[in-house]
């Protein structure tokens, strides 16, 4: 589900979308104000995974390619051209795709690669200051990661992996509301990594992000951290929640 559009992956691998379409997020071949009924996205190969950002959507095809369409004003599609086309990856075959608000990450055979909006280094490219956009898929350097263990929020990204028997969650991007895990500098100074440990677990953690908060499931516990101004972390206070002391369900 995007900001004002929705896409669904059907049983046969077809993709249908509906909602706002001024940026081609529903029908990349014809821009309209909106599409009121689900419309199949034509020209796509058979899809096995899908994720929507604010105004763009990406799929992983049965042949492990990433295809994206919609808004490309911040390089969300991972290429110079707009419309519907393959997003070239640096290396490896894509297995999952994760669309943040205006940036995108893909898990390949042994890497995570990201592109798009990077004002807070959420696409994994750093600097003083970091480049505003990452124009093409770029490999992110971090600990080992697990499938289904990537999340992309509005201005941050996190990756989980096993490190010496502990499941570590490594985050990068803005941290002004603890969305990258721990108390730290404001959004004006991007955070490269926040590390904290979950108990050793035989199962892959499940992660999901809102704009400025995130939640994870591991070994039967459900923890949330980040912004809580609307009680999205279910804490009794509206204060931001630190991942070292998350709200546990």
């Amino acid at each position: 589900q995007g900001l004002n559009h929705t896409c669904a992956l059907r049983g046969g691998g077809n993709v249908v979308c509906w909602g706002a379409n001024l940026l081609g997020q529903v029908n990349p071949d014809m821009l309209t104000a909106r599409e009121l009924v689900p419309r199949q996205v034509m020209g796509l190969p058979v899809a096995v995974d899908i994720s929507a950002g604010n105004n763009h959507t990406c799929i992983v095809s049965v042949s492990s390619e990433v295809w994206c369409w919609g808004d490309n004003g911040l390089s969300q599609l991972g290429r110079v051209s707009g419309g519907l086309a393959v997003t070239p990856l640096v290396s490896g075959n894509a297995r999952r795709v994760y669309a943040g608000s205006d940036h995108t990450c893909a898990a390949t055979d042994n890497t995570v690669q990201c592109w798009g909006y990077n004002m807070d280094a959420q696409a994994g490219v750093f600097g003083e200051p970091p480049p505003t956009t990452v124009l093409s898929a770029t490999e992110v350097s971090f600990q080992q990661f697990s499938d289904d263990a990537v999340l992309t929020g509005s201005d941050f990204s996190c990756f989980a992996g096993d490190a010496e028997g502990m499941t570590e969650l490594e985050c990068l991007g803005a941290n002004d509301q603890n969305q990258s895990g721990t108390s730290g500098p404001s959004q004006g100074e991007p955070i490269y990594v926040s590390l904290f440990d979950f108990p050793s677990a035989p199962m892959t953690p499940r992660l999901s992000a809102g704009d400025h908060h995130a939640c994870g499931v591991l070994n039967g516990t459900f923890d949330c951290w980040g912004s809580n101004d609307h009680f999205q972390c279910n804490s009794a206070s509206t204060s931001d929640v630190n991942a070292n002391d998350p709200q546990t369900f």
Side-chain angles (χ1 to χ4, degrees):
Q1 182 171 319
L3 184 64
N4 292 305
H5 79 288
T6 304
C7 292
L9 176 59
R10 305 181 76 172
N14 295 327
V15 172
V16 294
C17 299
W18 61 96
N21 189 48
L22 285 173
L23 297 168
Q25 57 268 57
V26 171
N27 180 6
D29 293 326
M30 182 179 296
L31 305 186
T32 57
R34 63 188 63 84
E35 295 289 341
L36 301 180
V37 298
R39 172 188 290 272
Q40 182 174 340
V41 181
M42 305 304 294
L44 280 179
V46 174
V48 296
D49 189 39
I50 188 170
S51 185
N54 273 354
N55 294 301
H56 75 290
T57 305
C58 297
I59 62 106
V60 175
S61 73
V62 70
S63 57
S64 300
E65 295 176 320
V66 174
W67 289 66
C68 298
W69 65 95
D71 185 19
N72 199 35
L74 295 169
S75 299
Q76 300 95 310
L77 308 187
R79 46 187 158 80
V80 174
S81 62
L84 175 67
V86 172
T87 295
L89 294 177
V90 174
S91 63
N93 294 320
R95 296 186 294 196
R96 299 292 305 270
V97 66
Y98 306 87
S101 292
D102 292 302
H103 73 291
T104 311
C105 295
T108 70
D109 286 337
N110 51 18
T111 68
V112 169
Q113 299 174 42
C114 299
W115 58 90
Y117 192 47
N118 191 60
M119 180 67 75
D120 297 291
Q122 62 265 46
V125 177
F126 309 97
E128 295 293 340
T132 302
T133 59
V134 177
L135 300 180
S136 60
T138 302
E139 186 173 325
V140 179
S141 176
F142 59 94
Q143 305 278 353
Q144 293 182 346
F145 75 98
S146 304
D147 272 349
D148 300 322
V150 178
L151 64 82
T152 49
S154 175
D155 50 13
F156 71 109
S157 304
C158 295
F159 317 94
D162 182 74
E164 299 180 353
M166 298 295 289
T167 299
E168 292 186 334
L169 186 64
E170 187 169 343
C171 300
L172 49 86
N175 198 41
D176 56 311
Q177 295 174 294
N178 289 356
Q179 61 267 51
S180 285
T182 59
S183 299
S186 66
Q187 186 171 343
E189 183 178 345
I191 305 300
Y192 172 37
V193 168
S194 293
L195 281 177
F196 52 96
D197 295 334
F198 291 103
S200 181
M203 61 182 293
T204 299
R206 291 285 185 158
L207 306 173
S208 185
D211 274 353
H212 304 291
H213 78 290
C215 297
V217 177
L218 183 69
N219 262 8
T221 65
F222 183 70
D223 297 330
C224 294
W225 65 93
S227 174
N228 194 50
D229 55 346
H230 295 287
F231 300 99
Q232 55 268 57
C233 289
N234 201 35
S235 173
S237 166
T238 57
S239 299
D240 299 336
V241 177
N242 191 310
N244 285 331
D245 186 23
Q247 180 68 22
T248 299
F249 296 81

